[in-house]
Amino acid sequence: MAGQCQQHMLHHWAIAGGSAQCADYFLDQGIDIEHTSGFSPLGWNWTALQIAASCGSTRCVELLIAKGANIHFKDPDQYQAIHRAASSGSVECVKILAQHKADVNAYNEDGKTPLCLAVRNKQATCVRELVK
């Protein structure tokens, strides 16, 4: 088996690829669900949940929440998973996160809420979901 650092990297790449089955395998091996491995497939210091939300991988988002991922975790830029989902237009992930009590009014480092990011990035379906 790969070293722990490699496992975290592979786990994050599996999440980015939308492979809930691979992600679940790594979680069953005891990988830290909140690990931020420096560079991830999409950015620096993102958790698996943030990656899944940004990629629109609903199966991975649901899996990670079911396995205990912290939906309120903030990366160094103060983004939560719901910020990442709203920014990228992942409306189904926004819905799932909101249903699990993600803070739709949370501010990031620049004072932007998920709604602000959805508007800025022209993600109309996410805007509609966030203003419900």
Side-chain angles (χ1 to χ4, degrees):
M1 186 68 163
Q4 190 172 17
C5 184
Q6 289 175 317
Q7 287 179 3
H8 284 108
M9 186 185 319
L10 291 170
H11 181 237
H12 283 185
W13 279 101
I15 296 286
S19 177
Q21 184 177 6
C22 287
D24 195 32
Y25 168 79
F26 284 110
L27 292 169
D28 286 345
Q29 297 303 307
I31 201 162
D32 178 7
I33 199 167
E34 302 301 338
H35 181 78
T36 59
S37 58
F39 179 72
S40 72
L42 300 174
W44 292 94
N45 296 309
W46 290 18
T47 63
L49 183 58
Q50 290 174 310
I51 294 167
S54 181
C55 290
S57 178
T58 56
R59 290 182 57 219
C60 289
V61 167
E62 290 170 337
L63 168 74
L64 291 163
I65 291 171
K67 296 275 185 163
N70 178 2
I71 62 169
H72 303 291
F73 177 89
K74 292 184 175 188
D75 65 25
D77 296 322
Q78 301 300 298
Y79 278 70
Q80 296 180 20
I82 197 157
H83 288 93
R84 299 293 178 196
S87 285
S88 64
S90 302
V91 69
E92 293 303 318
C93 292
V94 167
K95 288 179 186 178
I96 294 165
L97 290 162
Q99 289 168 355
H100 285 87
K101 308 296 185 218
D103 185 357
V104 298
N105 297 309
Y107 292 98
N108 69 7
E109 173 179 78
D110 298 323
K112 303 286 191 264
T113 64
L115 177 60
C116 292
L117 296 171
V119 169
R120 182 185 72 188
N121 293 330
K122 299 178 176 85
Q123 303 297 346
T125 55
C126 284
V127 169
R128 283 190 290 277
E129 185 62 31
L130 289 163
V131 296
K132 281 185 177 181

